[in-house]
Amino acid sequence: MAYFLRQDKKKKGTYLQMYDSYWDKDKKASYTKSVMAFGYVEDLVSDEIPDPIAYYKEFVKKRNEERNASIAEETRPRAFESPVEKNIGHFLLHTLMTELNVKKFIDILASQRRFQFSIYDMLAQLIHARVINPCSKSKTVSSVFPHLYGGVHISEDQVYDGCCFIGESYKKYIELFNHCYEEYYPRDFSSVFFDCTNYYFEIDTPSEDKQKGPSKEHKNDPIIGQALLLDADLVPVAMQMYPGNESEKPYIRKVINEMKRRHRVSGKTVQVADKGLNCARNIYAAVKEADDGYIFSRSVHGRNLSEKEKTWLLLENDANVFTDYTDEKGNIKFRLKSCIDTFNYKFKETDPATGEETETFFSVTEKRIVSYNPSLAKKQKAEIMKMADKAANYTTYKKIAKEELGDSAKYIKVTGRDKTGKKINPIIEINQDKIEEDLRYAGYNLLVTSEIDMDSLKVYDTYHSLWKIEESFRITKSYLDARPAYMQKKESIYGHFLICYLGLFLLRVLEIKIFKNKINAYELIRFIRDLRVVRINDDSYINISRDQAVNEKIKELTGLTNLDALFLSEKEIENLFRNCMLIDS
């Protein structure tokens, strides 16, 4: 309200006071109260104040001006107090999670602990934040959560407690999302795609699952491994974490066996993986133990193939015919040839209970498919010559810095003994035979499969769908910033990777099932990050998104015509979160 000068007529004269008028919300009435008393007019007259009434009117006027200025400053919006900019692009993720109806199951899982916050809200906001602006958990709470439209307050401590809780049983949450997803989209397990990666930790000492091993980034920091499985539709179905110093090869068996058990899969599944997972033990597990099939790649270099196999690889005659596959202009994209034969395998295995080692021999009838890609050959030959040139610079040194040479070291031959076996000063020279062999096999790839009746082109196309799992790792690492991980507790780390996995899972469902591959995951991430609004009054926002191309795509796919409107009302934004339908009922 406002101050005013009150003049009361009393026996001694006019009495001056400064009063304040205010509104009582409870009584819904206007009231006044004395703030300051000045005294009688006659007593206030002096050389400085010849006219007390005029003087104190001016005094009250200045106090009103000061008060108004103070109120205006106090009520002025603050940049760090209540964010005006809000992200609304995550309505796609929010709507999908709502329609999958995962909340009721998450609430049941969380009921065993008396959290003072909602585990579902925490999980959802962490997924949204991971897609919008991936950063540390501390920064997520302070800088991302406040900008999520419809977000609730969750403290940093609550985030850490919640991550630890969900990380303790991360496989349950994956199974939960799978269960809800399969209510709408039956899984296709006719083929599954498997691969592994690892993530480094910026810590000095290995601990728990964070152990030193072969890092994908060639770092020397402790790492943790991650196995990922996609179904035939290329939608993620399972994820498993494992210590960084363990081989990734056994995890294809563990994850697929667990998938079959959890999903009660009884039919044949064709396992698809690259050469890193191709070993006799995994082939035995697929065809002899699980009655499954496989499509693996094999390296055409080094000792991986016999001389007979290497000769057949390049052979082209009436009995070994390549089929050419061309583009629209008639240029060769790739060539294929195949053969069917019986191949012998063996592997050694140690019994964990007794420590006794046994060797197993077995035979498999396989189809082997050779592919040749001219573009790949050109690229690989250029890389080989680059490595050979690098190796040539080290032939004059007595000691070879292998950490500096990297893969080029294979093109250097060191002779330390003469023909009689006597030690001599090491002779360092270029391994020309190795260079020529690698150039000869550039562009060639070999696929091995148990599916002898499957068309060679079908095998080739199925195997090359593995790019989707490699892309999934790229999205997780580069766009969802799963690395480097800074959390310390094992359960919190698993909670962190669960958030990243679920973010990937939801993006893939949107891309593959909701939008039928008419938009890719990268464009979805761009849209979710770009769609932002700024409040301009109590019921209106201005749309500050800038990516018109991806906005138009989402508009067309969803039928939401107001996504590019300059002004959006509160009701329109609420409708995006409450009434947008993605899954066809």
Side-chain angles (χ1 to χ4, degrees):
M1 301 295 275
Y3 298 128
F4 64 93
L5 184 65
R6 179 166 170 170
Q7 304 175 45
D8 292 324
K9 302 294 183 178
K10 298 187 177 183
K11 291 182 179 180
K12 290 182 62 178
T14 303
Y15 192 76
L16 302 181
Q17 299 179 77
M18 185 170 74
Y19 264 68
D20 184 18
S21 60
Y22 66 95
W23 178 262
D24 191 314
K25 292 181 180 179
D26 296 329
K27 297 180 180 179
K28 296 182 179 180
S30 179
Y31 291 88
T32 61
K33 63 179 180 180
S34 175
V35 176
M36 186 182 299
F38 302 123
Y40 289 100
V41 172
E42 292 179 359
D43 297 338
L44 296 172
V45 174
S46 65
D47 294 338
E48 294 178 0
I49 309 176
D51 186 352
I53 294 177
Y55 176 87
Y56 284 107
K57 278 185 178 181
E58 185 64 26
F59 175 85
V60 170
K61 180 183 177 182
K62 289 181 180 179
R63 291 295 299 270
N64 269 323
E65 290 173 353
E66 292 172 1
R67 183 188 194 186
N68 291 337
S70 175
I71 291 173
E73 187 63 28
E74 288 174 5
T75 57
R76 186 179 182 182
R78 300 294 172 179
F80 306 103
E81 188 176 282
S82 178
V84 250
E85 182 181 312
K86 293 286 185 178
N87 184 287
I88 62 173
H90 62 287
F91 80 87
L92 290 174
L93 301 171
H94 168 88
T95 300
L96 181 55
M97 288 184 68
T98 302
E99 293 184 11
L100 290 177
N101 198 22
V102 294
K103 183 180 187 303
K104 68 177 182 180
F105 299 107
I106 292 175
D107 288 343
I108 292 171
L109 289 175
S111 64
Q112 60 184 289
R113 297 271 292 274
R114 295 182 178 179
F115 289 112
Q116 299 301 308
F117 62 99
S118 166
I119 287 290
Y120 173 80
D121 287 342
M122 181 215 70
L123 182 69
Q125 290 189 187
L126 284 175
I127 293 172
H128 301 160
R130 184 60 39 184
V131 175
I132 292 168
N133 182 19
C135 51
S136 70
K137 298 296 178 288
S138 175
K139 191 173 180 182
T140 296
V141 172
S142 63
S143 303
V144 186
F145 280 2
H147 292 274
L148 293 177
Y149 185 87
V152 298
H153 174 72
I154 297 173
S155 71
E156 186 176 338
D157 288 340
Q158 288 171 337
V159 164
Y160 285 118
D161 288 345
C163 278
C164 186
F165 175 73
I166 62 176
E168 288 173 353
S169 51
Y170 71 93
K171 291 182 183 179
K172 283 186 178 179
Y173 288 87
I174 294 173
E175 186 175 0
L176 185 160
F177 274 77
N178 283 339
H179 171 80
C180 296
Y181 167 79
E182 288 157 20
E183 291 289 314
Y184 298 96
Y185 305 106
R187 290 277 190 180
D188 180 359
F189 292 119
S190 59
S191 60
V192 292
F193 299 85
F194 181 88
D195 204 354
C196 294
T197 191
N198 50 53
Y199 301 87
Y200 65 89
F201 288 76
E202 294 185 335
I203 56 175
D204 297 324
T205 308
S207 64
E208 295 182 315
D209 285 6
K210 305 181 287 293
Q211 299 294 327
K212 291 195 174 183
S215 168
K216 301 291 183 182
E217 288 82 18
H218 306 292
K219 289 180 173 286
N220 197 37
D221 298 311
I223 59 175
I224 193 167
Q226 182 188 56
L228 184 63
L229 190 72
L230 308 185
D231 65 13
D233 294 323
L234 304 175
V235 175
V237 65
M239 179 265 288
Q240 184 163 332
M241 309 303 298
Y242 60 91
N245 60 351
E246 290 188 8
S247 169
E248 61 190 23
K249 290 181 178 179
Y251 282 90
I252 187 171
R253 306 194 295 270
K254 293 179 182 179
V255 172
I256 290 176
N257 288 340
E258 187 172 292
M259 174 206 77
K260 287 194 159 191
R261 187 176 65 254
R262 286 178 179 265
H263 293 270
R264 298 179 179 85
V265 178
S266 56
K268 181 179 181 179
T269 291
V270 177
Q271 305 171 12
V272 186
D274 67 10
K275 55 183 173 286
L277 283 304
N278 182 3
C279 65
R281 181 66 185 90
N282 285 342
I283 289 175
Y284 184 85
V287 297
K288 302 295 184 181
E289 295 177 344
D291 291 325
D292 277 345
Y294 58 85
I295 300 173
F296 291 151
S297 66
R298 288 195 67 182
S299 174
V300 298
H301 302 285
R303 301 176 183 176
N304 296 291
L305 297 179
S306 66
E307 289 303 317
K308 181 181 177 181
E309 288 173 310
K310 287 183 178 180
T311 301
W312 171 78
L313 196 76
L314 302 176
L315 192 62
E316 187 171 6
N317 54 30
D318 292 341
N320 292 274
V321 180
F322 276 91
T323 302
D324 295 343
Y325 295 87
T326 59
D327 58 20
E328 301 81 5
K329 296 181 180 179
N331 299 318
I332 295 175
K333 292 196 298 182
F334 58 89
R335 313 181 74 208
L336 297 179
K337 76 169 181 176
S338 65
C339 72
I340 298 174
D341 206 342
T342 299
F343 296 88
N344 299 319
Y345 290 94
K346 65 178 180 179
F347 65 90
K348 292 181 180 180
E349 200 164 37
T350 303
D351 188 325
T354 63
E356 186 177 334
E357 187 177 74
T358 58
E359 190 167 21
T360 302
F361 297 85
F362 66 100
S363 299
V364 180
T365 301
E366 286 181 340
K367 175 183 275 192
R368 297 202 167 185
I369 301 163
V370 178
S371 68
Y372 175 76
N373 186 315
S375 297
L376 179 63
K378 183 179 180 180
K379 177 184 176 185
Q380 288 182 342
K381 285 179 179 179
E383 290 172 349
I384 291 167
M385 295 311 300
K386 185 178 179 180
M387 287 191 290
D389 290 342
K390 185 177 181 180
N393 294 327
Y394 282 83
T395 56
T396 56
Y397 289 84
K398 291 184 178 180
K399 291 185 179 180
I400 303 171
K402 288 189 176 181
E403 65 276 5
E404 294 181 24
L405 277 173
D407 291 338
S408 300
K410 64 184 177 181
Y411 296 135
I412 290 181
K413 183 167 62 176
V414 181
T415 305
R417 296 178 183 272
D418 62 16
K419 294 180 180 179
T420 64
K422 183 180 177 181
K423 281 188 175 182
I424 59 173
N425 289 329
I427 300 173
I428 302 173
E429 56 188 333
I430 287 292
N431 190 342
Q432 195 63 40
D433 291 341
K434 177 62 177 169
I435 295 172
E436 290 175 2
E437 181 189 31
D438 285 357
L439 288 172
R440 190 161 54 248
Y441 291 103
Y444 285 91
N445 190 34
L446 179 61
L447 301 178
V448 299
T449 178
S450 59
E451 306 310 289
I452 59 176
D453 295 325
M454 187 182 288
D455 180 72
S456 296
L457 182 59
K458 174 70 172 174
V459 174
Y460 178 86
D461 288 340
T462 301
Y463 175 78
H464 280 79
S465 291
L466 264 177
W467 73 271
K468 204 70 173 178
I469 201 167
E470 293 168 358
E471 183 192 62
S472 295
F473 286 137
R474 185 162 59 251
I475 289 171
T476 304
K477 289 185 174 184
S478 300
Y479 285 80
L480 304 184
D481 271 11
R483 60 173 185 184
Y486 297 98
M487 305 177 87
Q488 299 298 317
K489 291 178 66 177
K490 176 181 174 180
E491 294 79 11
S492 297
I493 291 167
Y494 286 0
H496 165 73
F497 285 112
L498 173 66
I499 297 297
C500 296
Y501 170 86
L502 292 178
L504 173 69
F505 170 79
L506 294 172
L507 287 169
R508 286 300 194 210
V509 175
L510 287 167
E511 173 190 9
I512 297 168
K513 292 298 183 179
I514 305 295
F515 298 133
K516 314 297 183 187
N517 291 305
K518 293 176 182 177
I519 188 169
N520 61 48
Y522 303 109
E523 291 173 315
L524 285 168
I525 293 171
R526 276 168 47 201
F527 172 79
I528 292 168
R529 292 179 177 179
D530 181 64
L531 190 57
R532 293 160 296 129
V533 295
V534 172
R535 183 186 289 275
I536 52 178
N537 57 48
D538 289 345
D539 188 48
S540 187
Y541 294 82
I542 189 167
N543 186 343
I544 60 170
S545 57
R546 295 183 295 177
D547 196 328
Q548 184 178 353
V550 74
N551 192 293
E552 287 293 332
K553 271 194 174 184
I554 297 293
K555 260 180 66 178
E556 183 179 348
L557 292 169
T558 60
L560 298 169
T561 58
N562 62 347
L563 290 180
D564 61 347
L566 180 60
F567 297 100
L568 289 168
S569 68
E570 189 88 46
K571 186 177 180 181
E572 285 179 306
I573 296 175
E574 288 287 338
N575 284 337
L576 289 179
F577 285 85
R578 293 182 182 177
N579 300 321
C580 176
M581 300 294 291
L582 295 175
I583 299 177
D584 294 331
S585 54

